[in-house]
Amino acid sequence: PGVQAVTWHPDGTRLLVTFRGNLYVVPADGGEPQAFPAEPRAKSRAQFSPDGRVIAFMSGGDLFVTEGAPPSDSTRRLTNIAAEGVRIDRFTWSPDGQSIAFVEDDMRRVRRRVIPDYLPDETTTIEVPRALPGEESASRRLGVVSLRSGEPRWMDLGPNRLDEIFTYAFAPDGRS
């Protein structure tokens, strides 16, 4: 994979680029990219906080944050929920940059199926969780985690965790 995502810094002077599972900060004037410290796990969906001082990204199914752009060695795991079949699907910053809302995707009860993979030179098969109509699908829940505490608060969305969460957002004041 090449470039997977590009995000502007809030001040417009640099870009956050996800390239081959690693993160780079690239000056908007075309200067030399600055790489994040390499880690064994690939990083994805990186975003600057609203003030641009913190970067959040997903790795190994969990959410991480790091100070600076590019960061020092201040990277820390913000959630610890990833397990076989459980991962964070997506996230968004609060307007004040003090917390992050995220969707947890739990695929443990979804039946696994073998499907063809046509991307390699030779067609192979891979096993993936894939529900057919009438079968149990993934369960989801919506959480909010504070950068200070690191403890997720789970939203009460009603009794059916199988309902898809299509969209979510913070109120403009960030309180709800």
Side-chain angles (χ1 to χ4, degrees), residues 60-168:
D62 273 313
L63 190 58
F64 290 77
V65 291
T66 189
E67 302 281 334
S72 59
D73 294 332
S74 64
T75 299
R76 67 183 171 101
R77 181 187 302 252
L78 196 56
T79 62
N80 194 17
I81 61 172
E84 183 66 35
V86 181
R87 65 181 176 85
I88 291 179
D89 180 54
R90 56 193 181 272
F91 68 91
T92 190
W93 282 96
S94 64
D96 65 4
Q98 297 303 306
S99 56
I100 298 174
F102 63 92
V103 176
E104 176 196 78
D105 202 11
D106 186 342
M107 303 287 283
R108 291 178 290 191
R109 293 183 161 191
V110 177
R111 186 171 171 197
R112 297 187 68 81
R113 292 191 160 70
V114 176
I115 63 168
D117 182 0
Y118 298 108
L119 294 178
D121 292 337
E122 295 287 326
T123 301
T124 61
T125 58
I126 55 175
E127 190 178 87
V128 297
R130 178 85 36 100
L132 295 178
E135 294 179 346
E136 189 165 353
S137 60
S139 65
R140 291 169 185 84
R141 59 185 180 163
L142 180 62
V144 176
V145 63
S146 163
L147 267 61
R148 286 189 196 107
S149 74
E151 276 300 312
R153 288 185 338 235
W154 299 103
M155 304 294 110
D156 181 1
L157 302 177
N160 191 358
R161 288 190 54 205
L162 300 180
D163 286 340
E164 179 68 67
I165 299 171
F166 290 104
T167 189
Y168 58 97

Side-chain angles (χ1 to χ4, degrees), residues 18-45:
T18 306
F19 177 70
R20 295 187 175 163
N22 207 354
L23 302 177
Y24 298 84
V25 174
V26 181
D29 64 6
E32 193 66 30
Q34 296 175 303
F36 280 54
E39 294 179 12
R41 292 188 179 176
K43 301 167 193 70
S44 64
R45 300 193 180 164

